[in-house]
Amino acid sequence: MSGPRLCLASASPRRSELLASIGLNAITCAVDIDETPLPEEPPEALVIRLAEAKAVAASTCDACIGDAAQLPVLGADTVVVCDGRIFGKPRDRADGAWMLRQLSGRRHHVITGVAVNGPQGLVSLSVTTHITLRQLDSNEIDAYWATGEPLDKAGGFAIQGRGALFVSYLEGSHSAVVGLPLYETAQLLAYQGVELWTPAPQQAMP
C-alpha cells in the first residue's frame, strides 16, 4: 500500500479498515466534539453537521499536514433512527439493552454522514440504509452485551460482528452501516483529488 493520501478524523478501526479495503492508507487524527443533537435537528442534518465538524477540526492536526501540503481530511458520523428517535452509542448495559429491545423485530434506519475537507473546500453527504432486526429475547441481548461488541456502536449492535446474526433484512449500503459508505466516499475523495487507482508499473521493453 502506498503512503497516506488522506487524514481520517476518527479513531474508529472500522473506518480505517474500510478505507484500507479500497487501497487507501489514512493517517488517523481523532477529534473530540460535542455530538449532542440540536433541538428538533433532523438525523440527516445531524450526521452531516458532525461529519463536517470532525473534518474541519482535524484539518489543524499536525499529523494531517504533510511536507508539501495539507492532506484531505475525511470525517464521518453514524446514527441509528427508529420511529424518529436517534440512537447513538449506549451509555451503559441498561441503555444498550433498551436500544436492542426497541429495535427488536422492527425496521429502522442507519444514517451515515461523510465530509471531506480538501482543495475543493468542504463537501459532504449522507447515506441512509434500511435494516430490520429479527425478534430478540432477553437472554440473547444479555449474552450479546457480554461480548463487549455493542459498547461503542450506534444502536448497540455491530453488523460487521456477531450483531449480523440479528439482521433479517438490509436495503442500501452495508459499508455505511459499518461506518463509511464506500461508493459515496470514493466519489467525494475523487472530487478532492485523491487518487483511487494507481497506474500499474510499466515493464521495460526487451
Side-chain angles (χ1 to χ4, degrees), residues 131-203:
I131 291 180
T132 301
L133 298 190
R134 62 173 174 79
Q135 290 286 345
L136 309 177
D137 62 42
S138 296
N139 290 334
E140 284 182 305
I141 292 174
D142 289 342
Y144 183 51
W145 181 267
T147 67
E149 186 176 278
L151 184 60
D152 63 342
K153 311 298 190 298
F157 79 96
I159 197 171
Q160 73 275 17
R162 296 179 72 172
L165 299 173
F166 303 151
V167 178
S168 62
Y169 177 80
L170 182 147
E171 178 186 352
S173 169
H174 180 278
S175 65
V177 181
V178 178
L180 205 60
L182 290 178
Y183 173 78
E184 291 82 1
T185 298
Q187 291 182 312
L188 293 183
L189 292 173
Y191 179 70
Q192 296 286 13
V194 177
E195 292 186 1
L196 301 174
W197 299 97
T198 55
Q202 297 293 321
Q203 294 184 350

Side-chain angles (χ1 to χ4, degrees), residues 9-29:
S10 172
S12 166
R14 298 174 296 279
R15 292 189 174 116
S16 293
E17 290 164 2
L18 285 169
L19 289 172
S21 74
I22 58 171
L24 290 174
N25 183 18
I27 293 172
T28 59
C29 181

